[in-house]
Amino acid sequence: MNKDEVMNDEVLLTAFSRGNSEAFGAIVDRYKTKLAGYVYNIVGNKEDTDDILQETFMRLIIMVKSGRYTESGRLNHLLFAMSRNLAFDYLKKGRGEAMTADDGNIDAVANSARYAELSTEAIIVANQTNIDLKHMIDRLPEPQRQVVEMRVYEEKTFKEISELTGTSINTTLGRMHYALINLRKMIAENNYDFEN
């Protein structure tokens, strides 16, 4: 995201706080697709993804309208953090990827285009792997975790990441390099096999 878009976020949120609902619609349009992909990778089904996105934007509305929004220039990070936390709350409460035969979600996941060729067992393993990997990413030191999440989940270039974090490209690449080393160590220590 370039500086104009960041500034535009702030202009739109200010306009929204003053009663312009179309300004908030522009924020939703800007972020909904990326957030949906990110959340879907965690929970694995459209219904929960839609619920989480709705809750994320509702929380932003409450923050802005109550004057508690203080993340100037960091809306992107805030939205991804809120949606990630909500997605993991859904998982902890047994919604979304609980993947038991009686919760009704397995059919929705099994019928989705992403999983059409996979067996139910493969879906469960793939989802658990995704959850395990996300937990490992969360254990990385903050600068490394931030680079990995922006690169993997937000699909940002290293140049964009360096601009957003205020670091050089070499620092950003170094953080990614060390993050991958740390993730490999965690995988080895926990005897994970991500190739099956």
Side-chain angles (χ1 to χ4, degrees):
M1 176 170 298
N2 63 40
K3 289 179 183 177
D4 290 338
E5 287 176 320
V6 170
M7 177 57 91
N8 199 10
D9 285 347
E10 301 311 312
V11 170
L12 289 169
L13 288 175
T14 299
F16 173 65
S17 71
R18 294 178 179 157
N20 183 341
S21 60
E22 288 180 10
F24 194 79
I27 290 287
V28 171
D29 289 343
R30 175 173 293 160
Y31 289 103
K32 68 182 177 186
T33 302
K34 287 182 181 180
L35 285 172
Y38 176 66
V39 171
Y40 187 87
N41 280 333
I42 298 171
V43 299
N45 70 66
K46 188 176 183 323
E47 292 90 11
D48 287 341
T49 297
D50 291 344
D51 289 346
I52 290 165
L53 288 185
Q54 184 175 4
E55 180 68 20
T56 299
F57 288 118
M58 285 302 298
R59 288 185 181 198
L60 180 60
I61 288 171
I62 292 166
M63 285 179 75
V64 172
K65 290 293 189 180
S66 67
R68 291 185 296 126
Y69 176 77
T70 59
E71 299 290 322
S72 183
R74 297 181 52 85
L75 178 61
N76 184 48
H77 301 291
L78 174 68
L79 289 172
F80 277 92
M82 285 195 309
S83 62
R84 178 186 66 234
N85 292 341
L86 286 167
F88 281 105
D89 286 347
Y90 269 60
L91 294 178
K92 287 176 192 170
K93 292 175 184 172
R95 298 185 68 179
E97 295 283 340
M99 300 308 290
T100 59
D102 60 356
D103 71 4
N105 290 326
I106 198 161
D107 291 332
V109 176
N111 291 328
S112 71
R114 179 178 176 204
Y115 293 112
E117 300 298 317
L118 299 176
S119 69
T120 301
E121 181 180 350
I123 293 167
I124 294 168
V125 169
N127 289 328
Q128 186 58 51
T129 299
N130 205 15
I131 292 165
D132 291 342
L133 185 55
K134 184 64 183 120
H135 286 300
M136 284 187 272
I137 291 170
D138 287 342
R139 289 174 40 208
L140 290 170
E142 178 64 21
Q144 294 173 21
R145 182 193 60 74
Q146 186 179 39
V147 171
V148 170
E149 287 181 344
M150 292 170 92
R151 181 73 177 137
V152 174
Y153 296 115
E154 300 174 35
E155 299 179 356
K156 298 209 174 300
T157 66
F158 287 113
K159 183 174 188 260
E160 290 171 324
I161 295 169
S162 70
E163 289 171 358
L164 286 168
T165 58
T167 59
S168 70
I169 289 186
N170 285 339
T171 299
T172 301
L173 290 170
R175 288 176 178 174
M176 185 65 160
H177 174 74
Y178 287 113
L180 293 174
I181 289 172
N182 286 331
L183 287 170
R184 284 186 193 111
K185 285 179 186 173
M186 285 185 246
I187 290 167
E189 288 167 3
N190 293 289
N191 295 315
Y192 286 114
D193 182 3
F194 287 115
E195 302 203 0
N196 291 326

